[in-house]
Amino acid sequence: MAKNTMTLTDNRTGKEFEYNIMSGTRGPDVVDIRSFYKDSGMFTYDPGYTSTASCESKITFIDGENSELRYRGYDIAELAGKHSYLDVCYLLMRGRLPNKEESKDFDLEIRHRSFVHEGLIRIFDAFPDHAHPMATLGAAVMALSTFYKEHLNLEDEDQFKEMRRRIVAKIPTIAAMAYRNSIGVPQIYPDVDRYFTENFLYMMRAYPGGKMKNLGGGINDEIRQVEVDALDAIFTLHADHEQNASTTTVRAVGSTEAHPYVSIASGIAALWGSAHGGANEKVMDQLKLIGDVKNVPTYIAKAKDRNDPFRLMGFGHRVYKNRDPRAESLKGLQDQLRKELNLDSKLLDVAAAVEEAALADDYFKDRGLYPNIDFYSGVILTALKIPVEMFTPIFVIGRTVGWITQWSELKQDPTAKIARPRQLYTGK
Ligand code: ACO
């Protein structure tokens, strides 16, 4: 029987190095090169980690070739819109879906943990009006670590659980506060009578004192169930995505023994970039820039031009070289919402024309560039009257559970080490 190893030969010396091949439950096998430097005195070179598995994980599985995404074994299509986002949080954190009673208890606990210390609310006063909510959200989450510093003992299972649930519960409150700060309206408190997602919409829209008036537009609209359901599904579709850039950042910072909420704040920073979660904001800017269906060919040509830095935002993905299954779910949601809400049809028409033109074009086909989650989420969030600068904070709300679950897995991994890659030095 063939040995479950791989032999690397240094052709300069003829020296051979043998490494074990590890197999996961699914996905490509992995060559265990942990002792490579000790054995050979050489490093491996993989900028951007395109061929590197940085950890072992039991949380999320992606098959990029076959457009598959699973949380704890469940296909994303079985979860989004079929189970509440909070049940999905429970699934990610506990490894199984809750039963009815557990689901109710968890929901209640999250509602009651949604309040933040008064001191944290005052932090927002220090920021200028119109500060981007991603900046103030990241800063406030960093500051949250100062409120829970003394009591953190990760050896204590209850405290460990509480630390995870607390951040999931508070993140929509902090995001809504970041938004209210950015438009200069007074802060309000969470409403425990409302479910997680409805409460977030309420905190985005309500007048001080919690009054809701159906005046149309702006922060004062009534909340419709169809909006809550759509946003809930969006949170689920963003909940985790294995070792993406922001999760890798959370794990790297966590590996230095930094505070968990400081690690989450670093994930927020990483997510903000336009190559990652910031793309949803850029998609909307781009659709508005294109402006009309007749302009689509010009912009497709720009995206294909190697001498033009213009990229089609919301297209392409490091892992999905076929369709992004999250985008597929969102497209279904978009079509449904188009019927139920009055979507901006001109923007939708431009989006549809961009999608159609790119999918038919060899440049995009040859490179496996398909619409990703950010392409559709922007249009849907616009339909939900979410302002563009809140698109990435909404991604943060959905992803926080993934980050904290990945952080916890790192903490429970006896083989985990401080993240410390090496380099190929070519300087003086
Ligand atoms: N528009 C035009 N061309 C593109 C695009 C795009 N959106 N994305 C990739 N390409 C081209 C590149 O120019 C390159 O072409 P080449 O082979 O001729 O040089 C080829 O496709 C491969 O691109 P890479 O950048 O090497 O692919 P990588 O896997 O490293 O990047 C990424 C993936 C960053 C997502 C990229 O596709 C991109 O910038 N997309 C636009 C931003 C975006 O939508 N980001 C959100 C990603 S999803 C998320 O984070 C939630």
Side-chain angles (χ1 to χ4, degrees):
M1 203 174 96
K3 270 167 86 182
N4 215 9
T5 61
M6 178 179 273
T7 303
L8 294 174
T9 309
D10 183 342
N11 292 321
R12 298 167 304 181
T13 59
K15 218 170 159 190
E16 290 189 340
F17 306 97
E18 191 178 349
Y19 295 99
N20 285 331
I21 296 176
M22 300 164 75
S23 295
T25 331
R26 289 189 60 192
D29 287 342
V30 166
V31 186
D32 180 359
I33 53 148
R34 274 176 289 188
S35 64
F36 185 66
Y37 173 58
K38 218 164 116 209
D39 300 342
S40 69
M42 287 185 275
F43 298 136
T44 57
Y45 185 62
D46 185 19
Y49 315 122
T50 52
S51 298
T52 296
S54 61
C55 62
E56 191 184 318
S57 184
K58 292 182 167 52
I59 304 167
T60 292
F61 174 74
I62 301 174
D63 180 343
E65 302 301 325
N66 294 306
S67 306
E68 190 181 346
L69 168 60
R70 289 177 182 271
Y71 300 157
R72 301 284 190 187
Y74 285 89
D75 193 308
I76 194 75
E78 289 173 51
L79 297 171
K82 304 208 169 77
H83 291 268
S84 72
Y85 170 69
L86 279 190
D87 280 1
V88 172
C89 289
Y90 190 99
L91 169 70
L92 283 165
M93 292 195 279
R94 290 287 305 268
R96 62 170 176 82
L97 281 165
N99 62 33
K100 264 206 172 113
E101 201 176 325
E102 287 166 334
S103 169
K104 210 169 132 230
D105 289 349
F106 184 61
D107 177 354
L108 207 65
E109 180 182 341
I110 295 295
R111 290 179 195 221
H112 285 277
R113 287 190 187 283
S114 61
F115 291 82
V116 295
H117 192 286
E118 287 293 305
L120 192 80
I121 303 175
R122 285 198 295 274
I123 282 172
F124 286 99
D125 294 342
F127 298 124
D129 276 356
H130 308 299
H132 196 290
M134 274 302 277
T136 57
L137 172 61
V141 171
M142 177 73 90
L144 193 67
S145 66
T146 65
F147 293 91
Y148 297 99
K149 192 171 186 297
E150 305 307 328
H151 309 291
L152 198 71
N153 171 13
L154 296 179
E155 302 296 309
D156 180 330
E157 186 45 44
D158 286 343
Q159 274 194 31
F160 197 47
K161 190 168 90 180
E162 189 182 10
M163 175 277 294
R164 283 176 286 187
R165 294 182 172 195
R166 187 192 293 129
I167 187 71
V168 168
K170 294 189 194 313
I171 201 79
T173 304
I174 303 174
M177 287 178 168
Y179 171 62
R180 295 182 76 92
N181 173 75
S182 75
I183 56 167
V185 300
Q187 300 294 359
I188 57 162
Y189 292 100
D191 177 356
V192 287
D193 289 336
R194 296 174 193 267
Y195 167 70
F196 182 92
T197 303
E198 185 192 341
N199 182 57
F200 171 68
L201 285 172
Y202 159 78
M203 289 193 72
M204 290 275 297
R205 294 177 182 179
Y207 282 112
K211 284 207 178 79
M212 305 283 290
K213 283 189 184 167
N214 197 6
L215 300 177
I219 60 164
N220 46 19
D221 256 358
E222 289 292 353
I223 298 162
R224 295 170 62 179
Q225 191 58 42
V226 58
E227 297 178 297
V228 176
D229 294 345
L231 191 55
D232 210 56
I234 287 180
F235 287 151
T236 291
L237 293 169
H238 287 86
D240 196 42
H241 213 230
E242 54 119 300
Q243 308 312 318
N244 57 83
S246 54
T247 302
T248 297
T249 306
V250 169
R251 279 186 178 257
V253 175
S255 79
T256 69
E257 305 300 338
H259 189 286
Y261 301 158
V262 169
S263 308
I264 299 294
S266 70
I268 294 173
L271 190 78
W272 196 3
S274 62
H276 195 10
N280 54 17
E281 193 174 326
K282 299 280 177 253
V283 168
M284 288 317 286
D285 294 344
Q286 208 167 76
L287 291 177
K288 284 180 197 152
L289 177 77
I290 298 171
D292 197 289
V293 170
K294 71 175 186 324
N295 301 328
V296 169
T298 311
Y299 286 94
I300 293 284
K302 271 168 80 64
K304 289 160 59 174
D305 182 353
R306 279 174 169 271
N307 299 317
D308 189 328
F310 182 87
R311 273 193 172 198
L312 215 49
M313 286 293 140
F315 273 77
H317 196 275
R318 169 59 63 77
V319 181
Y320 298 118
K321 298 303 176 194
N322 205 323
R323 289 178 182 267
D324 178 340
R326 304 167 300 172
E328 295 290 287
S329 287
L330 282 184
K331 188 162 167 42
L333 194 61
Q334 177 189 283
D335 295 342
Q336 184 196 334
L337 283 178
R338 192 168 194 178
K339 282 191 215 129
E340 298 191 35
L341 299 169
N342 275 338
L343 294 197
D344 179 344
S345 61
K346 180 141 191 202
L347 212 62
L348 264 181
D349 291 344
V350 175
V354 168
E355 184 188 351
E356 197 185 329
L359 290 178
D361 194 299
D362 284 345
Y363 174 94
F364 292 90
K365 281 200 262 186
D366 293 348
R367 289 167 180 76
L369 301 171
Y370 290 91
N372 58 46
I373 189 168
D374 293 320
F375 186 71
Y376 296 109
S377 63
V379 179
I380 296 177
L381 291 174
T382 302
L384 302 182
K385 301 191 196 79
I386 304 278
V388 117
E389 64 278 12
M390 283 305 287
F391 288 6
T392 319
I394 280 176
F395 197 150
V396 169
I397 297 175
R399 182 56 56 83
T400 293
V401 69
W403 287 331
I404 203 67
T405 307
Q406 298 270 354
W407 186 93
S408 305
E409 192 177 63
L410 169 88
K411 290 290 142 187
Q412 288 160 339
D413 179 354
T415 67
K417 279 178 174 294
I418 183 170
R420 180 42 169 109
R422 301 304 300 269
Q423 63 176 5
L424 173 67
Y425 180 68
T426 53
K428 279 187 189 166

